[in-house]
């Protein structure tokens, strides 16, 4: 099956040591403790090489992850990451198991397209939500959510409630502003000039 969303492959090792000491030993070996859950199978605790995890954590993209955990195949999406409060490296990652035909919730990056009316008049475009949470089946999950801003005027916003995508349910609250064109001095001047 060909997916619209990018996939990434990660190798994992089953974890037998738990608790703080077990996690510390794993991190000392430059591994990150992980868990995958959901579906009929139970939780699987494993660890992934910290270096290989970077391509998943430090990117604006969202991925479907194909795991090879000691030879056992798993497929999931990243659900939650705990970072070290000071040093900002990952302490633990939760993955949610995904299956064909079953909807999954995932954050997908927003891509603005078009040339906004408001920007042409000197307004400043701001993107306040870089990713939106959606629910959909694997085959319907896109790489990005495109939003056409062509008709977005000065002082106007696009809210999640204004958006609609085929075969996807938006889980981010409808009242969330995604992007807006802010009024600037230049825009005020242009508006005043057209009113004279």
């Amino acid at each position: 099956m060909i997916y619209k969303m990018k996939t990434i492959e990660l190798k994992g090792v089953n974890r037998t040591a738990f608790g703080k000491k077990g996690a510390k030993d794993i991190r000392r070996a430059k591994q990150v403790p992980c868990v995958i859950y959901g579906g009929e199978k139970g939780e699987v605790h494993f660890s992934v090489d910290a270096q290989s995890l970077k391509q998943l954590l430090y990117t604006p993209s969202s991925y479907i992850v194909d795991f090879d955990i000691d030879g056992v195949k798993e497929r999931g999406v990243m659900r939650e990451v705990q970072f070290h409060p000071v040093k900002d490296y990952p302490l633990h990652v939760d993955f949610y198991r995904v299956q064909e035909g079953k909807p999954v919730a995932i954050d997908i990056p927003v891509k603005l397209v078009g040339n906004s009316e408001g920007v042409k008049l000197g307004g400043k475009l701001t993107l306040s939500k870089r990713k939106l949470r959606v629910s959909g089946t694997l085959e319907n999950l896109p790489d990005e959510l495109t939003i056409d801003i062509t008709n977005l005027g000065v002082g106007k916003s696009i809210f999640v409630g204004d958006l609609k995508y085929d075969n996807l349910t938006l889980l981010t609250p409808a009242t969330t502003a995604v992007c807006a064109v802010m009024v600037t001095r230049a825009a005020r001047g242009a508006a005043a000039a057209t009113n004279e």
Side-chain angles (χ1 to χ4, degrees):
M1 158 110 21
I2 308 276
Y3 300 117
K4 296 178 193 169
M5 183 178 274
K6 294 187 200 79
T7 56
I8 196 169
E9 290 178 15
L10 286 179
K11 281 199 177 306
V13 179
N14 274 311
R15 209 151 51 98
T16 48
F18 298 101
K20 280 191 174 164
K21 187 190 177 311
K24 248 187 190 143
D25 291 345
I26 288 168
R27 288 187 202 110
R28 207 171 287 129
K30 303 235 182 306
Q31 297 272 317
V32 178
C34 300
V35 65
I36 187 165
Y37 55 85
E40 325 279 275
K41 293 184 190 170
E43 290 186 351
V44 176
H45 295 268
F46 60 102
S47 62
V48 170
D49 175 63
Q51 198 61 37
S52 66
L53 206 53
K54 281 183 176 174
Q55 56 188 340
L56 186 63
L57 296 179
Y58 304 108
T59 171
S61 303
S62 295
Y63 291 96
I64 293 166
V65 188
D66 283 325
F67 291 103
D68 179 336
I69 304 167
D70 286 336
V72 177
K73 305 284 188 215
E74 290 277 9
R75 174 171 286 152
V77 291
M78 195 161 59
R79 189 40 63 90
E80 197 179 339
V81 188
Q82 291 170 326
F83 285 98
H84 189 283
V86 179
K87 296 180 180 161
D88 202 38
Y89 58 78
L91 294 173
H92 190 275
V93 187
D94 287 11
F95 292 93
Y96 186 77
R97 193 178 279 118
V98 293
Q99 296 154 301
E100 302 282 349
K102 295 240 174 111
V104 62
I106 186 170
D107 294 331
I108 295 184
V110 164
K111 184 185 183 187
L112 303 180
V113 294
N115 201 346
S116 151
E117 292 294 329
V119 171
K120 286 183 196 163
L121 293 172
K124 183 178 188 300
L125 181 67
T126 61
L127 176 63
S128 43
K129 225 35 200 145
R130 296 192 176 282
K131 288 186 174 183
L132 298 179
R133 177 153 283 216
V134 304
S135 171
T137 54
L138 275 185
E139 56 276 15
N140 289 320
L141 293 175
D143 251 346
E144 52 197 15
L145 299 168
T146 51
I147 299 175
D148 188 352
I149 58 166
T150 309
N151 299 322
L152 190 59
V154 176
K156 299 279 186 257
S157 299
I158 292 177
F159 294 93
V160 172
D162 302 327
L163 306 172
K164 197 167 171 23
Y165 298 96
D166 291 343
N167 305 315
L168 291 179
T169 305
L170 287 154
L171 301 178
T172 304
T175 52
T176 307
V178 182
C179 60
V181 174
M182 312 298 269
V183 180
T184 59
R185 263 201 219 112
R188 269 198 213 104
T194 54
N195 291 337
E196 280 172 10

